[in-house]
Amino acid sequence: MKIVIAGAGAVGTHLSKLLSGEHQNCVLIDDNEERLEGVAEYDVMTYNALPTSIGALKEAGADKADLFVGVTTEETTNITACVIAHALGAKKTVARIDNYEYLSPQNQKFFQQLGIDSMVYPEVLAAIDITNGLKMSWVRQRWDVHDGALVLLGIKLREGCEILNQPLKNLCGPDDPYHIVAIKRNDDTVIPGGLDQLQLNDLTYFMTTKEYIPYIRKIVGKEHYADVKNVIIMGGGKTSVRAALTIPDYMNVKIIEKSAERCEKLNQLLAESDTMVIHGDGRDLGLLEEEGIRTTQAFVALTGNAETNILACLTAKKLGVRKTIAMVENLDYVSMAESLDIGTIINKKTVAASHIYQMMLDADVRNLRSLMLVESEVAEFVASEGSRVTKHLVKDLGLPFGVTIGGLVRDGQGMLVSGNSQIQAGDSVMVFCHEQKLKHLEKFFKKSTLF
């Protein structure tokens, strides 16, 4: 596949890293040579030029691209580059945007007529993750498929968990209401087998259905965690705005922002919500006490500085806040934040890159999420008529090592999958993949006459 990426910023660089691991034919364009030097270790071609130059796009091969991606920091540059690439002959284009209005369904056809097949607003994607994290205070990460027909829950196991130190074969049988698809233990990722056991402080990923979420909460010993009603957000950037507008109405939200000018803007943007905007520094202990930090169930740090967000969350935890969420854009700090027990970690570039990456797969992939803490992806594949997965029981498919099928949705009904399950055409199948194996799975879900 020929892929051209315009923009060697955070999203473009992370996308290049993903593609280099799969040895894709990828070209990265940027008008800043220093940014291009930052991807020298990856197996991608670089081209120092303006992403909106017709000549440069031709030389980079945009006219022959299967996918053109515009992810510079400037929305207008991305849109313009995608329009030009489409006119030159690129088969698919995707643009990073900063205007929420562009995502409305009534505008989708308009942009498609311009030649833009998909648009990505990283702050909106991050806000969805934040909201999901706040809805369930006892969960580190949550991902829903088909409005919760299937649910993936990342949970830190503490004292009081009923299922520690027991072989998984005794816990996750064909008739049990959950599967465990991955375990993060210290610095290692474990794709569990029947003899593996859960241990204290494991970050464990459960696949289940919506009706069994209360049961999962009970067996992991999290029933005493208070539901979130009061939320303090530190930092008033775009992600904070999108989060405040999507957080459920039953939660009381306060945003603390240092800039008086930005506070005025926030009051305008959030005029129709009940969000309270406070001018001040979210690291000020006196201010936090004044704003009721000790009766707050969730603290969300969304400034542009990873260190500040991590330290602020640690402070909030010391003050009694149970649920903390930190935006950590520097991937080098992610493992540190996890080891410090921060809670939910948000990284916009991995979320955006996952959204774009699914467009590169030939199989029908509806959703794709990167689980950066376990260096893995969860993808929703749709089984094609006549595909390999429909011709054998799951145990006989010969799936690559590090791949687990956790569940499927059939006719809107979620169900877990065991070795004796038979996948049918049209099923939406949740696949957990360790270490970038998605490309190896396409042959299982595409129509084939060889098996």
Side-chain angles (χ1 to χ4, degrees), residues 130-144 151-155 208 210 213-214 216-217 225-228 250-251 323 325 344:
I130 292 167
T131 301
N132 284 339
L134 292 174
K135 287 178 181 176
M136 300 175 69
S137 61
W138 50 281
V139 168
R140 292 290 178 92
Q141 193 168 9
R142 171 176 174 166
W143 192 54
D144 289 10
V151 183
L152 180 72
L153 303 174
I155 304 171
T208 189
K210 182 180 288 185
I213 290 177
I216 301 295
R217 184 174 187 174
Y225 276 56
D227 292 331
V228 174
Y250 65 83
M251 295 184 190
K323 178 73 175 183
I325 300 175
T344 300

Side-chain angles (χ1 to χ4, degrees), residues 211-239:
E211 65 267 29
Y212 286 107
I213 290 177
Y215 175 75
I216 301 295
R217 184 174 187 174
K218 175 182 178 297
I219 64 174
V220 298
K222 303 281 187 176
E223 290 182 300
H224 63 287
Y225 276 56
D227 292 331
V228 174
K229 293 183 179 179
N230 300 313
V231 183
I232 291 179
I233 300 176
M234 183 176 76
K238 294 177 182 178
T239 305

Side-chain angles (χ1 to χ4, degrees), residues 387-398 419-424 444 450-451:
S387 60
R388 183 174 176 179
V389 291
T390 65
K391 297 185 177 182
H392 304 276
L393 297 178
V394 169
K395 65 182 180 181
D396 299 324
L397 288 175
N420 292 318
S421 297
Q422 178 70 60
I423 295 171
Q424 299 178 12
F444 290 89
L450 299 178
F451 298 93

